């Protein structure tokens, strides 16, 4: 096939020029993926060995799609590419080189839940206030340090960092970081951030290893370069140093992950690292109508810190962008749901052509209620992952112990599941013994008579023999046979099979689905190693953005804008465009944060192909109080000639751009006041006074799909939660000690309710 024939001049230039440093600035909808895949194919067609090409992506799905496209051009040679996410590629390298940094090759990869569980255990052992040293905060602090290549030693020895922690009344953060690092090492475990941090350590301390991979990866390509953090930037720079055949692809206007540590300066300052850089700009948008592209351009033009480009579209002009104003968030949901029904019927569209995008997950409630009333099927993305469900994590913990019995988080998870008389008291004794003798929990479990007195020695012996039997069987059986053996002999299958409740059947079916997935993996012919250990590595590296079934033909898609990045839909609704919601109140303190919010809005707009609708409410319930809402400043930044303002009244009226100027002037005046700092303690949304509050009729709450209650020990004051019956609420008070902690939770429309956490079945929303 002549893969170059279908490229425009800018795309073709980016594909054909393969030597030296290059940056491809790819505007939204500009055919970025096509250019990357054809560039790799072109290298192989020119005689470059596929084994010498490294392509780094941010999702497994992106790398899978690219590999499939490349294979259509070069055939089976595409299988020899080193292509995958940063974490998967460098986890693979670390498996090979682990001993050089003191790790076993079968190290466990801790997910976020594992890491936070370990942090909570450390906080208890150090007898620290878990409100001041909140596990989420501590985890993010450690993650930020690692992403900036600050080790626990450097953290403790930094006078500046220590002064900051002292001023924030958290002087023990360094000690927690040190203990966390040592406990992970002792357990033969790395967290997600370690996969990059330890790769940097490996390359820095082992020049021979660095040279080995510099010679191996003679050509590097990095997708979504605007989303890289300092740790990723450093790895790429080191690997590319020998040949400098590095090509980065991205769009600074779509850099929206600053809260994860992404540094937009990596792409803005790329030329400083490579003075001979060639820059290729992909500016033609093939996705959206001209009006949508112009709206996006008018928004992003307000950002000062950006690469210059002129995105355009040769598609049809399309409809003007509708702006709908509702009086309440519930009415906003009704407007969107009715619009979807009308458009689908009038234009012969399917439900999968529609997406509703919002700034925060909490906004989905009003949308869901409105869609359900009209029997519109929908699916929420970015919720609880299949692999985060309790029953799945339980069985996977047994898998982890099979290959790494030193994995302390896995031990604590399943040592007494199913119940075998080894409760929390026993676990505490094991931990104390392990700390006293500077050995692992597994070593204590394997020789309990030596370390722990009492009758539990027999149960511990039985548990250790069980895990050892799993390891022995794994050497004789394939992935599926090993997994089935563990599921049966651990007792999990039996435990769930005898639970005849709806929830129990669902959990049992989930285990069966996991086994089905392993069966499919074991029968794959495109990979050499089909062991359970490799399957475990693959699922440990799944990202939240890896959605196997992005669009269900029979459902409207609901998701946060962050989750929507990389997707496209014919009709898009961006809802909740109000000050302090979008842009977020947290972003109003600095230009850097505000510009990231504006880039997030840009991403939302450019998901739309044919029709874009923006909505906002003039009042919204926030923790039981009806508050006034001001339209987002982002609306006033759009040129009015591209907009059609719809004000929902009785009867409904529509205002075109000719009469829009008055509304626009009002917004402009309000915007001036938005930028002024508010006095401390003053809310920007004033309580609505002298107005009767609407009657709120209790409705039956339909739990979020995949609803799984969290453990009582997980809850903290201020958390947003979901109850199967009462719906969404916020914890306003906790009292008592585990296991009898009582929570006071405020539920919208219901007021405060007191619940015993061990019976309440609450799920943490955030």
């Amino acid at each position: 096939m002549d893969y170059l024939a279908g490229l425009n001049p800018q795309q073709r230039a980016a594909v054909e020029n393969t030597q030296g440093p290059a940056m491809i600035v790819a505007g939204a909808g500009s055919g970025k993926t096509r250019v990357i895949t054809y560039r790799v194919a072109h290298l192989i067609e020119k005689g470059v060995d596929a084994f010498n090409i490294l392509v780094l992506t941010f999702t497994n799905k992106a790398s899978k799609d690219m590999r499939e496209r490349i294979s259509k051009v070069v055939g089976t040679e595409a299988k020899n590419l080193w292509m995958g996410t940063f974490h998967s590629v460098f986890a693979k390298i670390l498996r090979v080189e682990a001993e050089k940094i003191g790790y076993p090759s079968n190290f466990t990869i801790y997910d976020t839940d594992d890491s936070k569980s370990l942090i909570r255990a450390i906080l208890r052992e150090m007898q620290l206030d878990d409100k001041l040293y909140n596990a989420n905060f501590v985890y993010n602090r450690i993650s930020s340090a690692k992403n900036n290549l600050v080790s626990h030693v450097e953290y403790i020895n930094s006078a500046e960092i220590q002064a900051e922690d002292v001023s924030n009344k958290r002087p023990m953060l360094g000690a927690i970081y040190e203990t966390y690092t040592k406990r992970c090492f002792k357990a033969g475990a790395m967290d997600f951030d370690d996969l990059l941090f330890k790769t940097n350590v490996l390359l820095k301390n082992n020049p021979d290893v660095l040279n080995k991979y510099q010679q191996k990866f003679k050509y590097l390509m990095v997708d979504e370069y605007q989303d890289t953090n300092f740790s990723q930037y450093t790895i790429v720079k080191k690997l590319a140093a020998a040949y400098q055949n590095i090509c980065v692809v991205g769009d600074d206007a779509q850099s929206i992950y600053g809260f994860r540590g992404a540094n937009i300066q990596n792409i803005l300052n790329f030329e400083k690292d490579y003075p001979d850089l060639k820059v290729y700009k992909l500016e033609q948008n093939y996705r959206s109508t001209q009006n949508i592209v112009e709206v996006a351009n008018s928004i992003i033009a307000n950002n000062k810190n950006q690469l210059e480009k002129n995105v355009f579209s040769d598609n049809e002009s399309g409809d003007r962008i509708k702006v709908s104003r509702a009086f309440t968030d519930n009415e906003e949901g009704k407007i969107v749901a009715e619009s979807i029904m009308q458009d689908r019927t009038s234009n012969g569209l399917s439900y999968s052509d529609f997406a509703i995008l919002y700034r925060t997950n909490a906004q989905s409630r009003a949308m869901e209620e409105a869609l359900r009333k009209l029997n519109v099927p929908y699916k929420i993305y970015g919720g609880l992952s299949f692999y985060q469900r309790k029953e799945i994590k339980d069985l996977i913990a047994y898998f982890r112990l099979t290959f790494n019995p030193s994995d302390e988080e896995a031990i604590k998870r399943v040592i007494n599941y199913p119940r075998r008389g080894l409760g929390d008291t026993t676990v505490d004794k094991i931990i104390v013994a392990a700390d006293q003798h500077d050995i692992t929990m597994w070593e204590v479990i394997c020789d309990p008579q030596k370390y722990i007195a009492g009758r539990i020695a027999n149960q511990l012996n039985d548990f250790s023999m069980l895990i050892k039997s799993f390891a022995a069987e794994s050497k004789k059986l394939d992935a599926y046979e090993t997994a089935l053996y563990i599921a049966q002999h651990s007792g999990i299958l039996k435990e769930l099979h005898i639970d005849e409740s709806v929830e129990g059947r669902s959990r049992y079916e989930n285990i069966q689905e996991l086994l089905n997935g392993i069966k499919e993996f074991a029968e794959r012919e495109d990979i050499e190693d089909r062991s359970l250990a490799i399957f475990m590595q693959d699922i440990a590296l799944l990202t939240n953005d890896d959605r196997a079934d992005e669009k269900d033909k029979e459902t409207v898609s609901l998701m946060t804008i962050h989750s929507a990045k990389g997707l496209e839909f014919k009709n898009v609704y961006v809802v909740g465009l109000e000050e302090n919601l979008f842009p977020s109140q947290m972003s109003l303190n600095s230009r850097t944060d505000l510009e990231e919010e504006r880039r997030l809005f840009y991403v939302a707009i450019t998901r739309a192909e044919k029709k874009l609708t923006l909505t906002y409410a003039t009042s919204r319930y926030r923790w039981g109080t009806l508050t006034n809402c001001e339209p987002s400043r982002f609306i006033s930044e759009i040129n009015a000639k591209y907009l059609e303002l719809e004000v929902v009244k009785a009867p409904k009226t529509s205002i075109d751009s000719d009469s829009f100027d008055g509304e626009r002037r009002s917004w402009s005046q309000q915007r001036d006041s938005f930028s002024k700092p508010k006095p401390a303690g003053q809310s920007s949304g004033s309580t609505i006074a002298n107005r009767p509050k609407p009657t709120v009729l209790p409705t039956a709450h339909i739990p979020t799909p995949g609803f799984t209650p969290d453990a009582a020990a997980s809850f903290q004051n201020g958390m947003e939660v979901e109850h199967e019956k009462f719906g969404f609420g916020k914890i306003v008070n906790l009292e008592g000690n585990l296991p009898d902690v009582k929570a006071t939770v405020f539920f919208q429309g219901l007021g405060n309710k007191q619940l015993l956490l061990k019976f309440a079945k609450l799920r943490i929303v955030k």
Side-chain angles (χ1 to χ4, degrees), residues 295-306 591 594-595 598-599 601-602 633-639 664 671:
V295 165
N297 287 343
S298 66
I299 285 293
I300 205 64
N302 290 277
N303 275 9
K304 294 183 177 180
N305 203 10
Q306 59 179 306
R591 179 176 297 279
L594 180 59
E595 291 200 347
R598 189 176 285 113
R599 292 193 295 270
F601 186 40
Y602 177 88
R633 68 186 71 192
F634 294 156
I635 299 177
S636 67
E637 292 175 354
I638 301 173
N639 190 320
R664 178 178 169 80
R671 182 183 57 186

Side-chain angles (χ1 to χ4, degrees), residues 476-486 488 518-519 522:
K476 299 181 289 184
L477 305 174
D478 69 16
Y480 172 71
E481 293 167 337
T482 303
L484 182 59
Y485 182 91
I486 294 171
Q488 291 171 334
I518 298 173
K519 177 73 170 177

Side-chain angles (χ1 to χ4, degrees), residues 211 258 425 657 706:
N211 181 64
T425 302
S657 60

Side-chain angles (χ1 to χ4, degrees), residues 319-584:
D319 296 337
R320 284 188 293 180
I321 283 64
K322 182 178 289 186
V323 179
S324 293
R325 180 174 71 185
F327 292 118
T328 66
D329 48 350
N330 287 333
E331 186 182 50
E332 182 185 36
K334 181 181 177 184
I335 292 169
V336 171
E338 290 178 346
S339 174
I340 290 173
M341 287 287 285
Q342 181 178 345
D343 275 2
R344 178 175 176 269
T345 304
S346 303
N347 301 316
L349 301 174
S350 65
Y351 285 121
S352 64
D353 292 325
F354 297 88
I356 302 173
L357 310 182
Y358 34 76
R359 180 63 180 84
T360 66
N361 279 307
Q363 291 170 258
S364 74
R365 179 200 57 79
M367 297 297 139
E368 289 183 73
E369 289 182 3
L371 293 171
R372 282 200 298 268
K373 287 176 181 176
L374 295 181
N375 293 317
V376 175
Y378 65 88
K379 183 172 183 178
I380 295 180
Y381 292 86
L384 186 68
S385 161
F386 176 80
Y387 292 103
Q388 292 300 315
R389 293 170 181 167
K390 178 187 181 302
E391 61 276 12
I392 301 300
K393 287 181 73 72
D394 289 340
L395 183 52
I396 286 176
Y398 275 109
F399 294 168
R400 284 163 48 175
L401 284 179
T402 299
F403 301 105
N404 177 18
S406 296
D407 185 341
E408 293 191 0
E409 289 308 302
I411 289 174
K412 289 188 287 186
R413 186 173 191 97
V414 298
I415 193 171
N416 200 39
Y417 180 77
R419 291 187 182 277
R420 51 177 64 92
L422 299 171
D424 292 344
T425 302
T426 300
V427 172
D428 289 342
K429 289 179 180 178
I430 295 170
I431 292 173
V432 169
D435 289 344
Q436 287 177 343
H437 296 87
D438 194 24
I439 57 178
T440 65
M441 290 178 68
W442 178 246
E443 288 173 291
V444 175
I445 292 168
C446 287
D447 193 4
Q449 293 88 348
K450 182 176 179 180
Y451 301 105
I452 300 177
R455 295 175 295 174
I456 60 171
N458 289 337
Q459 290 100 310
L460 289 174
N461 274 324
D462 290 344
F463 179 71
S464 67
M465 292 304 295
L466 179 69
I467 302 303
K468 289 175 182 177
S469 74
F470 295 164
E473 292 298 321
S474 71
K475 294 179 172 63
K476 299 181 289 184
L477 305 174
D478 69 16
Y480 172 71
E481 293 167 337
T482 303
L484 182 59
Y485 182 91
I486 294 171
Q488 291 171 334
H489 290 80
S490 65
I492 286 181
L493 273 182
K494 180 181 178 182
E495 178 89 359
L496 295 178
H497 185 68
I498 62 177
D499 183 352
E500 296 183 353
S501 66
V502 174
E503 295 83 0
R505 300 311 299 166
S506 176
R507 295 187 185 110
Y508 184 79
E509 290 167 2
N510 286 337
I511 292 292
Q512 293 292 347
E513 182 59 30
L514 174 62
L515 294 173
N516 290 341
I518 298 173
K519 177 73 170 177
E520 182 180 339
F521 171 83
E523 294 175 351
R524 284 176 58 181
E525 296 182 355
D526 60 329
I527 54 175
E528 294 181 11
D529 191 343
R530 295 186 289 273
S531 66
L532 185 59
I534 295 299
F535 177 83
M536 291 291 298
Q537 177 175 312
D538 287 350
I539 63 170
L541 293 168
L542 287 175
T543 71
N544 289 335
D545 299 317
D546 289 316
R547 298 174 289 271
D549 52 346
E550 281 178 1
K551 295 183 187 177
D552 186 321
K553 291 182 180 179
E554 299 305 320
T555 60
V556 174
S557 298
L558 275 68
M559 63 187 79
T560 64
I561 302 168
H562 284 100
S563 297
K565 189 168 182 287
L567 303 181
E568 55 190 48
F569 302 87
K570 286 184 180 177
N571 288 20
V572 169
Y573 297 82
V574 185
V575 302
L577 275 162
E578 300 142 28
E579 283 293 303
N580 298 319
L581 183 55
F582 195 18
S584 163

